[in-house]
Amino acid sequence: MPEPTKKDETETESAPPPPEQKTPQEDGTGKGKDEDDTSVSTPPADGMSKPAERKDSVWSLGEGAPEETEKRDDSQRSTLFVEKPQSGSVSVGGNITFIAKVEAKDLLRKPNVKWFKGKWMDLASKAGKHLQLKESFERHTKIHTFEMHIIQAKENYAGNYRCEVSYKDKFDSCSFDLEVTESSQAAPSIDIRSAFKRSGDGQEDAGELDFSGLLKRREVKQQEEEPEVDVWELLKNANPSEYEKIAFQYGITDLRGMLKRLKRMRREVKKSAAFAKGLDPAYQVDKGGKVRFMVELADPTVELKWYKNGQEIRPSAKYIFEHKGNQRILFINNCTMTDDARYYVTAGDEKCSTELFVRDPPILVTKGLEDTSTYVGERVELSCEVSEDDANVKWFRNGVELPNDPKSRYRIKVEGKKHTLIIEEAAKNDNATYSVMTTGGQSEAKLSVDLRPLKISLALEDQTVRLGQEIHLKCEISENVEGKWYKNGQLVEASDRVKLYHKGRIHRFVIASAAVDDEGEYMFVPDAYNINIPCKVHVVDPPKLHLDGLGENNTVTVVAGSKLRLEIPITGEPTPKVMWSKGDKWITDSGRIRAETYPDSSCLVIDTAEREDSGPFRITLKNEAGEDTALINIKVVDVPDPPQAPNVTEVGEDWCVMTWEPPANDGGSPILGYFIERKKKQSSRWMRLNFELCKETTFEPKKMIEGVAYEVRVFAVNAIGISKPSMPSKSFVPLAVTSPPTLLAVDSVTDTSVTMKWRPPDHIGAAGLDGYVVEYCFEGTDEWIVANPELTDKTKFTINGLPTGSKILVRVKAVNAAGESEPRYHPQPILVKEVIEPPKIRLPRHLKQTYTRRVGETVNLVIPFQGRPRAKVSWQKNGSPIDKNQINIRNTENDTIIFIRKAERSHSGEYDMKVEVENLEDKATIDIQIVDRPGPPEVVTIEDVWGENVNLSWKPPKDDGNAAITGYTIQKADKKSMEWFTVIEHYHRTSATINELVIGNEYYFRIFAENMCGLSEDATMTKESALIAKDGKVYKYPVYDDFDFSERPLFTQPLVNTFAVAGYNATLNCSVRGNPKPKITWLKNKVIIMNDPRYRMFSNQGVCTLEIRKPSPYDGGTYTCRAVNELGEAEVDCKLEVKVTQ
């Protein structure tokens, strides 16, 4: 079979198909049918070039391969592809491979490649048994190869495919076609398509035979064969409201695109002069069928060309041309979804067009619904399978369509080809016939919902109930149904006495208080079931205790030492058994405490009652009808226990306040009061202070002597008698508070604070003085606020945090061990508002002149000032704001400080200080001069040499060190020894004559400048020497050129790999030479080490050292020493490893 016609991608990009073209479907089967010829005239297209003439032939068949030039143009257009996948043809069941290649020379990583079928289906998710995607990379040619293998091809694999490649902002795409032809083998006579279990494309089980489907009891009901229907004619003649119904019935998925083409074909067509009979407006064919296009020419000599979506159709096995007189016929064999397009034929300058619609096969029900039986309340799932994934399926109940609404009790679930109708809780009214319908078939099944067999989970139990108690009958059945209760065969209705409850599967019958006539046989009968659950209820009279003669809370009181005989009447039939107990101990009929039982009563006897006998005694009656019990409190009364030792809470000049807690045991009788006694600490004689009982637990003894230590104690009294005395209290000394403080006055006032001062009290007393408490309140209020939470021993205190403009009252109390004194009040309210004080700068005398400091010294100037309130201080240097990063300014309420830690020349200048208080201000100027040693004189020249004398002259230095030059120092040196000797010091002029030089010697001279800081660091030397010549012939010295010592950096000793121990300093050493002196830089892992306190760097006489302080494993790495001068640079590196000691 010849190769199929390949599409020219360049031509496709230049002439894209119209937007209303229908997207080709991916799969489907169907039998073709020839269409009837219909002549429709179309107007000629503008701009159509006249085709070259060619010979007429009855049949023509040939290859439709594109020319080589077109291939080259297409490859040049591509940005990433080196080789594009080409269109191909394969027989059903055969294999085919598509290859795409991408060059990776300019790509840093693998490009992203995707394979698509149609416009949207990503084939990466379909890889499996029938589809495999592979990729490889050739390192020598740097070519990425991407392959798509189609294995055992099927008819529905035919269509248009696309390969996309992308890398960052680059993108390339290529489309190609796959044609699947029928196998040459004879088709089987038996249709076994119903045995195929269709699944998603590319899955492992795609296309596998499912013969178990043929063994099902129920066969899928297929619709009877219907005559072929032209959907196109139906749509043209139908009402627009019926479009969607027709689309579902005949499997149209692209209804919108089909309607656009319908609208275009309805346009009025002008009559053509070239075509006697044109193409029909549209043709329809089933997938896999054959279609015939025919036009009749007015002039048979005119050459025709056929086009599909703007591309010329070439003769091939698929496209066959036939000529019959004036008729020109085009046959398209084995139509696929890619043939669904717009076609037109040109004759000269005229064009006639039509639309071809390839119809997908109907959706078949491959696995039908099955009859289902279930119980009420169960979950029901009715499932079927169709021939296509995500197909449009409709569900019906007794012929009525079920809505797919979230609020509906019917839920529809779709999983690929499987469609499921879910009913969460089935009911009796769900009995119905359910059906499912697709475009190509339907299936129905019956759902039967019955009641479950009833089981008794919990039966009623026979009960014996005491009179007046609750009757509670409970049963549980397996189903949640209603029911009825019966007593002795009579229906029982709910009432105020009888409560009937039903919750889920549990039923309860409750009577709160049982009566004698409630006895009988009870029965529960569930609705809709022929079953009953019986039980018997027996009501009895239990034994009873009669405690009417006892006191409140069944309490019996007895005095300690006396005898108790307590008789309790009892009733019950038969005679109940009586048991007495106290706690866990049973009381017998003998002993000091014993129980005596009689037919109608029971006695508790206690001989010689003791306090330990107090407590609850339990009496219990039992018989076969039940039991009765009661607690009887026996209370044995006695004198109370002594109270705890009293506490003295407050002490005065001759009095105190004492408190105590009541005794832990009042002896069984309420406390009536207390007696109080006191004595001196050194005495043993107690004196009673009250002769009438004190009802409270506090008392105030009086008439004591100040400064003498006392002790007190307490007796408790009840109706039985007086207790023993309590333990004595801690000793205490009566003390008096001081008199109020004196001379309270205002010291100062600001906008937020008030400072008060006062004098000590006139009378302090024996307790001394611990401190003072200052309190204030705002005018118009009575709430006093403590200003100092802790006592102050000063006689002056500042109250802070006050609102400006408010008025306060102030009082002061003196405090000692005896307490607070009477307060001393300030006579008038105090206004919280500061009095304005004009600003005044008190400049120290030494700052009124120029303040001089040397470079590197510290400048710390304190300038006091006055001014209230909130004096604002500002500084300027030479008229500009001060840089706070270099100069620190600190301001307080009374002074300002200017601080320079390390003075520099740039800190010199006039500093302007301004103090502002509201609209008032005061200014002062400080002249600060930072001086340094001067630079050397500029040029020293030998003006004249005569005899033993040399005349020198020079220029003053450019840099005077910010101070006046006070003089110069001149030194000389013999050329032979070059040892310098001072000739003149503190010389003020810029020229001098040096005398008494040695004849025959040759001298050099240098000069230092001097200011108040000293000599300049360097001196300026004469360039020439002065020869003190002898009289006679003068020797002329030869002239030599200076030697060039310049050299680029060179490391004479490299760095050595080093091991260091964590926590111990490590050093790296190397040596370098070079002229000019190179600049040394250290690097760690190619990063410059700068301003890191963990590293110290040294360079001495060409030896470079890097010290690493207490290294850690983090400090390990590659260290580099770099030397740079104007002639070049050099580097040397080493590795440092830091080991951690175990």
Side-chain angles (χ1 to χ4, degrees):
M1 178 180 292
E3 290 293 321
T5 303
K6 300 182 179 180
K7 292 185 178 179
D8 190 329
E9 294 171 3
T10 304
E11 183 181 353
T12 303
E13 293 177 359
S14 62
E20 64 272 18
Q21 180 179 347
K22 182 179 177 182
T23 303
Q25 298 298 317
E26 299 178 65
D27 53 4
T29 59
K31 297 181 180 180
K33 182 178 180 182
D34 294 343
E35 300 291 334
D36 294 338
D37 296 335
T38 303
S39 176
V40 178
S41 299
T42 58
D46 296 336
M48 293 294 291
S49 59
K50 184 176 182 180
E53 295 186 1
R54 60 184 178 182
K55 298 180 180 180
D56 293 342
S57 60
V58 177
W59 293 95
S60 61
L61 180 65
E63 296 285 333
E67 300 177 359
E68 293 298 322
T69 57
E70 295 176 350
K71 291 184 178 180
R72 287 194 295 270
D73 293 340
D74 184 62
S75 62
Q76 291 172 1
R77 179 183 296 271
S78 174
T79 59
L80 292 174
F81 280 118
V82 175
E83 179 181 332
K84 297 183 178 181
Q86 303 297 325
S87 300
S89 176
V90 66
S91 299
V92 174
N95 302 336
I96 190 171
T97 300
F98 296 94
I99 300 175
K101 294 185 178 181
V102 178
E103 186 175 7
K105 182 170 69 175
D106 298 331
L107 308 182
L108 299 179
R109 57 180 175 83
K110 185 184 75 174
N112 186 22
V113 174
K114 292 184 178 180
W115 299 85
F116 296 90
K117 181 180 181 185
K119 292 184 178 180
W120 57 271
M121 180 179 285
D122 189 352
L123 297 179
S125 62
K126 305 296 182 180
K129 182 177 180 180
H130 294 275
L131 177 66
Q132 296 181 3
L133 303 179
K134 297 182 180 180
E135 58 184 51
S136 60
F137 177 67
E138 180 62 39
R139 296 187 179 274
H140 300 292
T141 60
K142 294 187 177 179
I143 295 294
H144 288 280
T145 302
F146 301 91
E147 300 179 0
M148 180 176 72
H149 300 279
I150 296 178
I151 304 169
Q152 298 178 2
K154 300 180 181 180
E155 290 184 3
N156 59 351
Y157 290 0
N160 180 259
Y161 290 78
R162 188 171 76 260
C163 179
E164 291 184 357
V165 58
S166 60
Y167 177 77
K168 293 187 177 178
D169 57 347
K170 297 181 180 181
F171 177 82
D172 202 355
S173 176
C174 173
S175 297
F176 56 95
D177 293 329
L178 172 62
E179 182 179 2
V180 182
T181 60
E182 294 182 0
S183 176
S184 60
Q185 299 177 359
S189 59
I190 301 177
D191 181 13
I192 60 170
R193 289 180 296 172
S194 60
F196 281 90
K197 183 176 68 177
R198 300 178 58 85
S199 60
D201 293 347
Q203 299 299 325
E204 288 298 326
D205 59 350
E208 294 296 325
L209 287 177
D210 183 14
F211 290 102
S212 61
L214 300 177
L215 302 178
K216 296 291 183 180
R217 294 182 179 179
R218 294 180 55 85
E219 295 292 335
V220 178
K221 295 183 180 180
Q222 300 293 340
Q223 292 183 347
E224 297 180 358
E225 288 291 333
E226 296 180 358
E228 193 69 26
V229 178
D230 189 348
V231 182
W232 179 252
E233 291 296 328
L234 286 177
L235 288 172
K236 287 198 297 183
N237 300 323
N239 192 320
S241 62
E242 299 178 355
Y243 285 166
E244 186 173 349
K245 179 179 179 182
I246 295 174
F248 175 79
Q249 184 176 357
Y250 293 96
I252 299 174
T253 57
D254 190 10
L255 178 60
R256 181 175 297 178
M258 196 168 186
L259 293 177
K260 287 183 179 179
R261 292 157 75 178
L262 173 62
K263 182 178 180 181
R264 184 174 61 198
M265 296 307 300
R266 283 179 174 175
R267 298 171 186 167
E268 184 178 354
V269 180
K270 296 180 180 180
K271 188 173 182 180
S272 172
F275 296 97
K277 183 179 180 181
L279 296 171
D280 288 348
Y283 293 85
Q284 175 179 307
V285 64
D286 286 344
K287 183 177 179 182
K290 178 180 178 182
V291 69
R292 175 176 173 266
F293 295 151
M294 189 274 290
V295 295
E296 186 175 343
L297 299 176
D299 183 5
T301 61
V302 177
E303 183 178 359
L304 267 73
K305 287 188 177 181
W306 295 86
Y307 293 85
K308 172 186 174 183
N309 287 339
Q311 297 184 9
E312 184 179 357
I313 300 175
R314 304 292 181 90
S316 65
K318 185 177 183 69
Y319 303 100
I320 300 176
F321 300 115
E322 182 180 349
H323 298 176
K324 292 182 180 180
N326 290 352
Q327 293 182 352
R328 302 293 184 266
I329 303 172
L330 169 63
F331 290 95
I332 304 176
N333 296 320
N334 192 22
C335 290
T336 64
M337 298 311 296
T338 57
D339 297 321
D340 187 288
R342 183 170 180 262
Y343 294 80
Y344 63 88
V345 58
T346 60
D349 295 332
E350 295 190 16
K351 181 174 70 172
C352 179
S353 62
T354 186
E355 295 282 346
L356 175 61
F357 294 92
V358 180
R359 188 173 64 174
D360 243 352
I363 304 298
L364 302 179
V365 179
T366 59
K367 183 179 179 181
L369 301 175
E370 295 183 355
D371 291 347
T372 303
S373 298
T374 186
Y375 294 112
V376 173
E378 290 290 326
R379 174 186 171 100
V380 179
E381 292 188 0
L382 301 177
S383 299
C384 70
E385 292 185 4
V386 297
S387 58
E388 298 295 337
D389 287 338
D390 301 325
N392 191 2
V393 173
K394 292 188 177 181
W395 291 84
F396 298 85
R397 180 181 183 273
N398 293 333
V400 180
E401 184 177 356
L402 296 178
N404 191 7
D405 187 357
K407 297 182 179 180
S408 174
R409 64 190 305 268
Y410 300 98
R411 186 163 59 90
I412 299 173
K413 179 180 178 183
V414 180
E415 295 176 332
K417 295 184 179 64
K418 185 176 181 180
H419 294 252
T420 306
L421 177 66
I422 300 174
I423 305 175
E424 293 296 341
E425 293 184 3
K428 286 287 288 183
N429 57 2
D430 288 326
N431 283 303
T433 299
Y434 293 85
S435 60
V436 61
M437 187 176 72
T438 65
T439 59
Q442 67 177 8
S443 177
E444 66 179 27
K446 292 184 178 180
L447 175 62
S448 176
V449 183
D450 298 322
L451 290 172
R452 285 180 176 275
L454 187 67
K455 296 181 180 179
I456 301 175
S457 302
L458 178 65
L460 297 177
E461 296 181 353
D462 295 344
Q463 292 187 10
T464 299
V465 182
R466 288 183 293 180
L467 189 68
Q469 290 189 347
E470 181 185 73
I471 299 176
H472 189 175
L473 305 180
K474 176 181 177 182
C475 67
E476 181 179 353
I477 56 180
S478 60
E479 298 298 322
N480 182 9
V481 296
E482 298 288 340
K484 295 180 176 57
W485 291 87
Y486 295 86
K487 175 190 173 184
N488 298 329
Q490 301 294 323
L491 179 65
V492 178
E493 300 288 347
S495 62
D496 293 338
R497 287 190 70 247
V498 180
K499 305 295 181 182
L500 304 181
Y501 299 96
H502 173 210
K503 183 177 181 182
R505 297 178 300 175
I506 298 176
H507 295 263
R508 292 187 298 142
F509 179 98
V510 179
I511 298 178
S513 179
V516 175
D517 56 353
D518 290 329
E519 184 172 344
E521 294 185 357
Y522 289 81
M523 179 174 58
F524 174 75
V525 180
D527 292 343
Y529 288 94
N530 187 18
I531 191 173
N532 61 76
I533 306 173
C535 72
K536 294 181 179 180
V537 175
H538 181 52
V539 180
V540 297
D541 188 10
K544 186 176 181 181
L545 291 167
H546 299 275
L547 306 176
D548 299 335
L550 299 181
E552 185 179 1
N553 296 328
N554 297 336
T555 301
V556 177
T557 304
V558 58
V559 178
S562 62
K563 181 177 180 179
L564 172 66
R565 182 179 179 86
L566 178 62
E567 184 175 355
I568 306 296
I570 59 176
T571 59
E573 189 64 32
T575 303
K577 181 180 179 181
V578 182
M579 293 175 288
W580 288 86
S581 65
K582 180 182 181 183
D584 297 331
K585 185 177 179 181
W586 294 98
I587 298 176
T588 62
D589 56 358
S590 60
R592 187 177 65 87
I593 302 176
R594 60 187 180 275
E596 298 177 356
T597 303
Y598 302 96
D600 57 349
S601 65
S602 179
C603 290
L604 175 67
V605 179
I606 302 177
D607 296 331
T608 315
E610 299 174 358
R611 183 181 295 184
E612 290 76 15
D613 297 334
S614 296
F617 285 75
R618 179 179 296 275
I619 178 173
T620 304
L621 305 181
K622 285 187 178 180
N623 64 7
E624 61 182 16
E627 68 177 24
D628 192 13
T629 183
L631 288 177
I632 299 175
N633 293 317
I634 303 300
K635 186 177 180 181
V636 180
V637 296
D638 198 357
V639 297
D641 291 341
Q644 297 292 327
N647 295 322
V648 177
T649 59
E650 191 175 354
V651 177
E653 184 176 2
D654 62 346
W655 55 272
C656 73
V657 175
M658 57 182 289
T659 61
W660 60 91
E661 295 293 332
N665 188 348
D666 60 0
S669 178
I671 300 296
L672 301 178
Y674 303 90
F675 288 118
I676 297 93
E677 293 182 349
R678 82 171 181 214
K679 75 177 183 69
K680 295 179 181 178
K681 184 178 181 180
Q682 303 299 331
S683 174
S684 58
R685 178 173 170 269
W686 291 91
M687 181 177 67
R688 179 165 292 184
L689 300 181
N690 63 322
F691 295 96
E692 293 182 359
L693 290 177
C694 175
K695 304 295 184 181
E696 305 295 334
T697 57
T698 180
F699 188 77
E700 183 178 342
K702 297 181 179 179
K703 297 182 181 180
M704 292 184 287
I705 302 172
E706 183 180 6
V708 177
Y710 288 88
E711 292 177 350
V712 292
R713 66 182 183 182
V714 181
F715 295 86
V717 180
N718 66 0
I720 307 303
I722 301 175
S723 71
K724 295 181 180 179
S726 68
M727 295 296 295
S729 68
K730 294 182 180 180
S731 61
F732 62 94
V733 178
L735 297 172
V737 298
T738 67
S739 61
T742 59
L743 301 177
L744 178 62
V746 177
D747 183 61
S748 63
V749 180
T750 67
D751 286 347
T752 59
S753 64
V754 173
T755 302
M756 306 296 297
K757 60 182 180 180
W758 60 88
R759 297 296 296 165
D762 293 334
H763 174 72
I764 294 178
L769 178 63
D770 295 337
Y772 302 91
V773 174
V774 181
E775 297 177 342
Y776 69 93
C777 75
F778 293 98
E779 186 179 30
T781 65
D782 296 331
E783 182 183 358
W784 289 92
I785 302 171
V786 178
N788 56 327
E790 297 182 0
L791 296 177
T792 177
D793 56 352
K794 308 293 184 183
T795 57
K796 183 177 181 181
F797 185 80
T798 300
I799 305 173
N800 296 310
L802 300 174
T804 304
S806 61
K807 290 185 178 181
I808 62 171
L809 300 172
V810 181
R811 68 184 184 186
V812 180
K813 300 177 182 177
V815 181
N816 65 1
E820 296 179 351
S821 69
E822 291 294 325
R824 175 67 67 185
Y825 292 86
H826 189 268
Q828 299 294 334
I830 303 170
L831 177 64
V832 184
K833 186 175 182 181
E834 190 171 24
V835 180
I836 297 177
E837 180 180 2
K840 177 66 175 177
I841 300 174
R842 300 187 178 278
L843 194 65
R845 181 175 299 174
H846 69 282
L847 296 180
K848 294 181 179 180
Q849 300 175 356
T850 300
Y851 182 80
T852 305
R853 281 289 182 271
R854 294 187 179 185
V855 172
E857 293 183 348
T858 300
V859 177
N860 188 12
L861 304 179
V862 181
I863 299 95
F865 62 86
Q866 64 185 27
R868 294 179 183 275
R870 297 178 299 280
K872 182 180 179 182
V873 181
S874 60
W875 284 90
Q876 286 187 338
K877 176 188 174 186
N878 297 329
S880 301
I882 292 177
D883 185 0
K884 295 184 179 180
N885 294 328
Q886 297 183 1
I887 302 173
N888 296 321
I889 303 294
R890 184 176 65 84
N891 299 322
T892 64
E893 294 181 355
N894 301 318
D895 59 22
T896 179
I897 300 174
I898 179 170
F899 178 78
I900 304 174
R901 186 176 300 278
K902 192 173 182 181
E904 297 177 1
R905 293 266 296 277
S906 60
H907 295 149
S908 301
E910 290 185 357
Y911 290 75
D912 299 324
M913 173 186 174
K914 181 169 67 174
V915 180
E916 296 176 294
V917 176
E918 296 186 355
N919 297 328
L920 305 176
E921 66 178 22
D922 191 15
K923 297 182 180 180
T925 301
I926 302 173
D927 187 8
I928 298 178
Q929 182 179 7
I930 308 301
V931 299
D932 197 1
R933 291 192 292 178
E938 285 193 46
V939 179
V940 179
T941 307
I942 299 176
E943 298 293 342
D944 193 10
V945 179
W946 72 94
E948 298 176 356
N949 307 308
V950 175
N951 182 261
L952 304 175
S953 65
W954 60 90
K955 293 182 180 180
K958 289 183 178 180
D959 182 12
D960 60 358
N962 206 21
I965 300 298
T966 58
Y968 301 90
T969 296
I970 305 171
Q971 293 182 348
K972 67 178 180 179
D974 189 1
K975 185 178 180 180
K976 296 178 182 180
S977 62
M978 289 305 292
E979 292 183 1
W980 295 95
F981 299 92
T982 301
V983 179
I984 302 176
E985 291 181 321
H986 312 302
Y987 191 77
H988 296 282
R989 299 180 181 178
T990 56
S991 62
T993 301
I994 309 302
N995 303 319
E996 298 179 359
L997 298 176
V998 177
I999 296 175
N1001 289 352
E1002 189 173 0
Y1003 293 91
Y1004 283 93
F1005 300 88
R1006 68 180 182 182
I1007 301 176
F1008 292 85
E1010 184 180 5
N1011 65 2
M1012 62 183 297
C1013 293
L1015 297 177
S1016 61
E1017 292 183 357
D1018 300 320
T1020 303
M1021 191 176 69
T1022 57
K1023 294 183 179 180
E1024 300 85 15
S1025 61
L1027 176 61
I1028 309 301
K1030 298 180 182 179
D1031 295 336
K1033 185 178 180 179
V1034 178
Y1035 174 72
K1036 185 177 182 181
Y1037 292 96
V1039 178
Y1040 301 100
D1041 294 334
D1042 294 337
F1043 182 77
D1044 187 8
F1045 289 96
S1046 298
E1047 181 183 9
R1048 64 178 295 164
L1050 175 64
F1051 282 94
T1052 59
Q1053 178 64 35
L1055 293 172
V1056 180
N1057 293 341
T1058 306
F1059 291 91
V1061 179
Y1064 295 89
N1065 292 357
T1067 57
L1068 304 178
N1069 300 286
C1070 63
S1071 61
V1072 65
R1073 72 183 185 193
N1075 192 18
K1077 183 179 179 181
K1079 179 182 178 182
I1080 304 301
T1081 305
W1082 287 89
L1083 301 90
K1084 176 189 177 186
N1085 295 331
K1086 303 304 181 182
V1087 179
I1088 297 177
I1089 300 174
M1090 296 180 64
N1091 302 325
D1092 195 333
R1094 294 185 296 111
Y1095 299 96
R1096 288 201 306 172
M1097 307 170 192
F1098 307 96
S1099 180
N1100 185 18
Q1101 298 296 325
V1103 178
C1104 305
T1105 302
L1106 174 67
E1107 181 181 354
I1108 307 172
R1109 298 181 177 179
K1110 297 183 178 180
S1112 64
Y1114 170 81
D1115 293 315
T1118 301
Y1119 287 82
T1120 304
C1121 180
R1122 178 186 296 167
V1124 182
N1125 66 6
E1126 61 187 19
L1127 299 179
E1129 67 177 48
E1131 288 184 356
V1132 64
D1133 53 22
C1134 71
K1135 292 185 178 179
L1136 174 65
E1137 182 179 349
V1138 180
K1139 295 185 178 180
V1140 179
T1141 58
Q1142 298 297 329

